[in-house]
Amino acid sequence: MNTNVISPDTGERLLDMIKDGAMVLDRAGTIIWANRAIRDLLGATDALRGCRLGDLLMASVPTETLLADRSAPSGRSKWLVATAIRSGTELLVSTQYRPQTEEFTVVARPFTSAVSNFDRVISFATRDDVTQLMNRDAFEERLSAAIERNEAGCVICADVDQFSTINEVYGHAEGDALLRAVAHRTRSSMGVDLQVARLYGGRFAAFIAADSDEAAQRLAGETSERLHHVMLPLFSICGGVQPISFSIGVARWRVDGVSADDLLAAAETAVHSVRAGSDKTRWFESAMLAERRRFFETEAELRLAIEQNALTLHYQPKVSAADLSIVGFEALVRWNHPTKGMISPGFFVPVAEQSNLIIDLGRWVLREACRQQAEWRAQGLKLVPVAVNVSPQQLLSQPISVLLAPLTEYGIDLDLLEIEITESAMMDRLPMATKVIESLRQSGLHISIDDFGTGHSSLGNLRRLPIDVLKIDRSFVEDIDRSQEAYDIVATIVAMAKTMSLNLVAEGVETIEQAKLLQAHGVDVMQGYLFHKPMPGDAAGRLLGSATGQADTF
């Protein structure tokens, strides 16, 4: 006996239990079966079997017209608003023809209840379920309507810069909480007249309509400033506080596009151009399209270069300020493109950062540095620490065991690797990064803050970071012998580092005068073209194996 088969009697009893009215009609519109709910809605006191639907409902469109039209595909419903003649109840009725049995299925519910549910469906279809702002479809529809009215205006796209990192580190629940907080601040500060939507991820959009292009551009500029301003107070993230910022792109209706798609694409292109510079708001320019195409081409080629192991590492020696002996290297990635030649890291590293390829690139650099160390060891050379630049994304997006896997693979001691993180990147993610850096430091790694002096560190922040080394930015080193301000800044950094028992590295040393002043200040290590340029691994190995292992500049 097949227990999965439901008998007709059982099916009818189940349908009698549902709240919606239901009935089955033959092809002529005569009721074959009706449940209890439809009898109550129609005000029937006796059985409905044998009655015609048209005798029970009154509608602007005769029910016979709906029943006569069997052209709709199987499973497609037709809708009708009708009044029950006996009870006076207004109903929303759907009819569905089933060609296999040549019967109609009819479902009815009170119109007020149906409209309430319909409103919820409409809200679900047009609202972002996390922030309750408009979603992208609804935003594009309203934007298209405004464009069709020939209004002047601007479209603003705003990207939450730290959103992907927070999602990766703390999980989607904290990411959603951040989105809701951003949406609340935006709504409360911008006013209800601004059409605001969440497009996807951490990207929001708004449009402004005005009487003239000049007024629209003025309002868009003011709105962008307010958006930056509302992001200034710290956000609560997982029990702590975190600075969050917007990157904003703006497009003008009558200049940058003629459709909602065009304008959103232009504003989003402008957003992507923000991260390459210091200005956090960019207005779309046609030249950005060429830059964006170049970006995508570079991203695709860089991805392939990483996969095919087509990059190389060069190693720039670090020398002791006391005797100029080599005390370490900094690993610097190089890309010799097969047709374009050498591509500057100043171009392809930002591409990697924006496309999240920086994680794959950083993993390749760390593994290659460990492989090179293992090769030098096999040659019998005395090893010195190699410093590797690590991005915050790489640091925060994976377990420490994954980050350090190349050391285990090649059997490299932890004290032969130094992790360098730029000051500005560190301070932007200080609450998230501190625990990770503490764990790395406890494992035995040396941690260095690169480009120190260019960011916004405070002494209090530095004291909280478990770091070993400060690298004085080259901009101060190059001016130390001709600028009193640079001289004083270096002196201050040295004094602060000594108080905190940190080692000091001065990078970008190019003249003997600079080197002597740095030595006089008490800098521990120097790095720059005065001593050695970056060199391939085999050349660095020969330098390690030379008689003195020293620079002989002065």
Side-chain angles (χ1 to χ4, degrees):
M1 179 177 180
N2 186 351
T3 58
N4 292 324
V5 176
I6 299 176
S7 68
D9 288 343
T10 302
E12 290 185 7
R13 285 198 299 272
L14 290 173
L15 287 171
D16 261 339
M17 298 171 63
I18 68 174
K19 294 181 179 180
D20 289 343
M23 51 187 161
V24 178
L25 289 74
D26 63 19
R27 61 182 302 168
T30 302
I31 297 173
I32 301 173
W33 174 87
N35 73 348
R36 183 178 303 159
I38 195 68
R39 293 196 295 271
D40 292 340
L41 289 173
L42 295 175
T45 57
D46 49 9
L48 293 176
R49 184 181 178 90
C51 296
R52 295 178 61 82
L53 184 63
D55 296 333
L56 302 170
L57 295 176
M58 178 175 60
S60 57
V61 178
T63 56
E64 289 80 2
T65 302
L66 289 178
L67 300 177
D69 183 4
R70 298 177 174 83
S71 60
S74 178
R76 184 75 56 82
S77 297
K78 294 181 178 295
W79 295 87
L80 174 73
V81 177
T83 302
I85 294 174
R86 296 182 186 180
S87 66
T89 303
E90 193 172 26
L91 303 172
L92 184 65
V93 180
S94 71
T95 63
Q96 190 177 92
Y97 179 62
R98 301 188 178 280
Q100 300 90 337
T101 60
E102 295 188 332
E103 294 174 345
F104 290 92
T105 299
V106 178
V107 177
R109 65 177 55 178
F111 183 73
T112 53
S113 171
V115 169
S116 175
N117 289 334
F118 186 70
D119 286 343
R120 287 197 292 272
V121 171
I122 292 298
S123 177
F124 179 79
T126 61
R127 294 283 169 182
D128 171 58
D129 58 343
V130 175
T131 64
Q132 297 306 304
L133 297 172
M134 282 185 290
N135 60 22
R136 187 178 188 120
D137 289 340
F139 182 80
E140 289 184 353
E141 183 177 342
R142 294 196 185 184
L143 177 57
S144 296
I147 294 171
E148 289 174 3
R149 291 194 296 269
N150 202 31
E151 295 175 343
C154 293
V155 173
I156 300 170
C157 277
D159 222 20
V160 179
D161 297 325
Q162 297 84 354
F163 177 69
S164 60
T165 301
I166 288 171
N167 250 358
E168 291 168 359
V169 176
Y170 294 121
H172 292 284
E174 287 295 328
D176 288 351
L178 171 63
L179 292 176
R180 286 190 287 270
V182 170
H184 174 72
R185 288 192 189 184
T186 302
R187 274 194 299 253
S188 62
S189 63
M190 297 295 102
V192 296
D193 294 335
L194 188 67
Q195 304 289 324
V196 183
R198 177 192 171 213
L199 302 182
Y200 57 86
R203 181 159 297 176
F204 294 79
F207 73 82
I208 297 172
D211 296 332
S212 66
D213 294 333
E214 293 76 12
Q217 292 185 44
R218 176 179 54 79
L219 290 171
E222 293 173 354
T223 299
S224 297
E225 290 180 8
R226 289 201 301 272
L227 285 172
H228 286 309
H229 182 74
V230 301
M231 300 294 278
L232 291 178
L234 298 178
F235 284 77
S236 175
I237 306 290
C238 203
V241 291
Q242 173 72 25
I244 301 294
S245 59
F246 268 147
S247 292
I248 295 177
V250 186
R252 293 152 291 188
W253 294 5
R254 296 178 181 176
V255 178
D256 302 324
V258 294
S259 70
D261 283 343
D262 291 339
L263 289 163
L264 271 175
E268 291 185 277
T269 298
V271 167
H272 288 294
S273 71
V274 168
R275 295 173 182 171
S278 58
D279 188 356
K280 298 296 288 183
T281 298
R282 295 290 302 275
W283 290 74
F284 175 76
E285 299 172 2
S286 58
M288 291 178 181
L289 292 175
E291 293 175 5
R292 196 66 183 148
R293 282 192 293 269
R294 188 183 177 203
F295 174 93
F296 283 122
E297 289 174 2
T298 303
E299 179 188 355
E301 292 172 341
L302 179 58
R303 189 182 304 276
L304 188 63
I306 295 171
E307 292 173 356
Q308 296 181 346
N309 203 33
L311 303 172
T312 58
L313 281 188
H314 282 199
Y315 300 85
Q316 185 169 30
K318 300 177 183 179
V319 302
S320 167
D323 61 10
L324 304 186
S325 62
I326 295 175
V327 294
F329 291 102
E330 180 179 1
L332 302 168
V333 64
R334 297 290 184 262
W335 183 13
N336 190 2
H337 192 280
T339 59
K340 300 176 182 177
M342 293 298 296
I343 299 180
S344 168
F347 176 71
F348 72 80
V349 170
V351 170
E353 288 174 340
Q354 292 181 45
S355 61
N356 278 334
L357 265 181
I358 194 66
I359 297 173
D360 294 333
L361 178 60
R363 187 182 297 120
W364 181 90
V365 169
L366 187 57
R367 188 176 187 277
E368 175 60 17
C370 291
R371 186 206 64 77
Q372 183 63 72
Q373 287 269 54
E375 183 177 310
W376 289 334
R377 182 180 58 202
Q379 295 170 1
L381 301 175
K382 182 181 178 181
L383 301 182
V384 295
V386 173
V388 175
N389 290 280
V390 174
S391 72
Q393 295 98 309
Q394 183 184 1
L395 191 67
L396 299 172
S397 65
Q398 56 191 348
I400 292 176
S401 59
V402 174
L403 181 71
L404 302 183
L407 285 91
T408 303
E409 179 183 356
Y410 288 101
I412 304 301
D413 293 338
L414 287 167
D415 60 359
L416 290 175
L417 181 70
E418 183 178 305
I419 297 295
E420 288 192 3
I421 309 168
T422 61
E423 180 194 10
S424 57
M426 175 61 64
M427 293 304 119
D428 285 343
R429 297 165 174 84
L430 185 62
M432 293 183 285
T434 301
K435 292 182 180 179
V436 179
I437 293 175
E438 177 64 43
S439 298
L440 288 172
R441 185 67 188 87
Q442 289 178 355
S443 71
L445 280 176
H446 297 290
I447 310 295
S448 171
I449 297 297
D450 197 12
D451 299 337
F452 185 77
T454 61
H456 46 273
S457 300
S458 68
L459 182 58
N461 284 335
L462 283 177
R463 291 180 61 192
R464 290 166 54 193
L465 286 173
I467 60 176
D468 305 280
V469 181
L470 286 184
K471 293 189 72 175
I472 303 173
D473 186 68
R474 65 180 63 247
S475 62
F476 302 118
V477 172
E478 68 183 8
D479 289 338
I480 192 173
D481 57 341
R482 57 178 183 265
S483 166
Q484 185 64 43
E485 181 183 21
Y487 182 92
D488 292 341
I489 289 174
V490 171
T492 301
I493 294 174
V494 171
M496 180 176 64
K498 296 301 181 183
T499 300
M500 299 173 62
S501 300
L502 299 175
N503 293 323
L504 273 169
V505 177
E507 57 184 349
V509 183
E510 297 186 355
T511 70
I512 293 176
E513 289 76 15
Q514 293 168 355
K516 288 182 176 179
L517 286 172
L518 292 167
Q519 284 177 324
H521 275 306
V523 168
D524 304 293
V525 176
M526 295 184 288
Q527 176 184 346
Y529 281 14
L530 175 64
F531 310 107
H532 301 282
K533 293 182 178 180
M535 61 189 72
D538 55 353
R542 288 193 296 272
L543 188 62
L544 276 178
S546 64
T548 62
Q550 292 180 333
D552 55 2
T553 306
F554 63 96

